[in-house]
Amino acid sequence: MGKNIERRQFLRIAAGAAIATGASAALVGCGTGGGKGGSSGSDSEQVLGWTEINFEHDVDVCVVGAGGSGLPAAYNAATAGCNTLCIEKQSTYGGDAANSANTWWVPYASVTADLRPGEESPLQDQIDSVDKSYEPGTELNALNKKWYEYVDKWMSILTYDMNAQWQESVPCVYKGCYWPEGGIGQGQKFWANVQQHVESAGVKFVYNMKADTFIVNAEGNVVGLRCYDTANERWVDIKSKAFILATGGFAANQDMVAEYYPELVTVGCVTTEAMGEGIQLGQSVGGSLLGMSGEVNCNPHLECIHVSQSIGRSISILPNGHRFHNESRVHMGPTNCIAAGFWEWWVIFDDDILNGPSALNVEKTEQYRVTGNTVEELAAAMNMPASVVQIGFDEYNAVCDAGVDEAFGRTFKLEKLEPPYYAMKLSPRRYKTAGGLRVDVSGQVLNESGDPVAGIFACGCTGGTTDIPPAGASGLIAGEGAAAYVKSLS
């Protein structure tokens, strides 16, 4: 029934037991002892320590996770006419997306022609480009093409239906790039607006609700989900015709990282919530995996400066003083740092970034940054030899003078830094994973034979995406697919 079942991930409702809101049923199988309460009084076998099944919610679609994929999944399910419940283990919505840099690189989305004239590119060209990364005819090829198609739809919904406020276009190495109003890292207001529109579409939200175990009937079909209400310390059972798993990836699950990314086991993690529980839930009812161990990059432990490097002047140097990546392609920083054999690096910048379009985000760096009016003063504040810091300045200044970065290919803002200088020390962290539950182009989870698992859908990192735009796209797909599945039952 899956590969990570040290604790039982599913319950069975005894044959003949009622499956209705408020009805109780005996539990059959090996329990974890995690439930509260005693015997149900039934003559059927029971799991000691587990409460009897008592459905408090009875819905068409239950979305597990209220982040960057769960919200659009719930929205599409609700607008298709489904009674939709969205549960979230944290105390609020947004997931990891709400606290990230919130970079949307979507030149191929149709809204770009309206909002970023001259930065747009054809959607079909982006779809066709998938053939270069994934062999035509494969599942990953089909999925990625579908995700690009639905990124276009998600951007239109956000912009025209939800009135999402985007920052005005700023000079950037990435054309067709969007950040929320206020700039890099200002996602809280953005996701609050999304949640409000999803709720207005009829979705009910319940927070502090951690999904634990699928409830399965005598025929082996999933009919419910047992959750733990962490705020009130009690078990809650949810009955639903379809479930959408949108709990994120597994970057914070050390056991899963050891299995699929052993090279990153000793690298710290920037998130504490990406525990892979949605993936494990899907596996517990027969779901298989796809794309695990795919290539991912790392992040710095602080996101408040590195993405800002893509729109401003900066130098990245290792402890030996040397540049080691294209500062405009920021995610190569932590990855190249590790590859060079180091576990920390310095970002040096000036007022072009401090007072630039991402000023609100850079304000967060104040407690972490040091400053100096000369290289010597800056080096002293960094507790580094001035001769070592000077190496980085000399290398970068030579590139600016030549107008060509032969070492790393930087072409954007080849301009020398001007005093005062600022510096921040960063260290690599893992923050996302590739792969997840194997799904079809409707978002439905597939078993090892490629057959759909009845009523179970997945999206976002749980369903194999790695970035915010395709996560939202896969959410739309799963919401649409779940709604169609529910309608097929009637």
Side-chain angles (χ1 to χ4, degrees), residues 327-349:
E327 291 88 350
S328 297
R329 306 285 182 176
V330 293
H331 281 296
M332 294 309 299
T335 301
N336 284 12
C337 176
I338 295 173
F342 293 91
W343 293 98
E344 62 184 27
W345 77 99
W346 286 91
V347 172
I348 302 172
F349 56 102

Side-chain angles (χ1 to χ4, degrees), residues 167 182 311 350-360 362:
Q167 184 182 41
I311 61 174
D350 63 11
D351 283 336
D352 183 54
I353 284 181
L354 187 68
N355 300 322
S358 61
L360 291 175
V362 182

Side-chain angles (χ1 to χ4, degrees), residues 92-136:
T92 189
Y93 48 82
D96 288 334
N99 298 309
S100 73
N102 272 275
T103 300
W104 300 65
W105 180 77
V106 288
Y108 53 87
S110 56
V111 301
T112 302
D114 291 340
L115 304 182
R116 304 281 192 270
E119 298 184 27
E120 69 271 21
S121 61
L123 172 60
Q124 191 59 50
D125 286 356
Q126 190 69 32
I127 293 174
D128 292 343
S129 72
V130 172
D131 292 338
K132 299 177 182 178
S133 300
Y134 302 99
E135 184 179 350

Side-chain angles (χ1 to χ4, degrees), residues 279-405:
I279 296 174
Q280 292 176 334
L281 272 170
Q283 287 182 278
S284 75
V285 289
S288 58
L289 303 178
L290 181 67
M292 306 298 283
S293 305
E295 184 177 350
V296 295
N297 50 39
C298 291
N299 232 31
H301 72 295
L302 299 170
E303 268 213 333
C304 47
I305 183 61
H306 86 297
V307 176
S308 300
Q309 291 184 266
S310 67
I311 61 174
R313 293 192 296 258
S314 70
I315 312 171
S316 294
I317 65 171
L318 295 170
N320 61 14
H322 290 286
R323 289 179 66 228
F324 63 104
H325 76 106
N326 176 347
E327 291 88 350
S328 297
R329 306 285 182 176
V330 293
H331 281 296
M332 294 309 299
T335 301
N336 284 12
C337 176
I338 295 173
F342 293 91
W343 293 98
E344 62 184 27
W345 77 99
W346 286 91
V347 172
I348 302 172
F349 56 102
D350 63 11
D351 283 336
D352 183 54
I353 284 181
L354 187 68
N355 300 322
S358 61
L360 291 175
N361 192 53
V362 182
E363 281 181 8
K364 303 173 187 176
T365 72
E366 184 174 6
Q367 62 179 311
Y368 307 108
R369 68 178 183 253
V370 297
T371 186
N373 288 311
T374 65
V375 173
E376 290 74 19
E377 287 181 5
L378 183 67
M382 296 165 63
N383 196 28
M384 294 264 288
S387 59
V388 173
V389 177
Q390 189 65 53
I391 292 172
F393 273 85
D394 290 344
E395 290 179 353
Y396 180 68
N397 289 343
V399 167
C400 292
D401 289 337
V404 177
D405 183 6

Side-chain angles (χ1 to χ4, degrees), residues 1 61-62 173 191-192 200 209 223 263 280 297-298 310 354 403 449 465:
M1 295 297 292
V61 177
C62 176
V173 67
W191 289 107
S200 296
M209 192 65 63
V223 294
E263 71 279 7
Q280 292 176 334
N297 50 39
C298 291
S310 67
L354 187 68
S449 299
T465 68

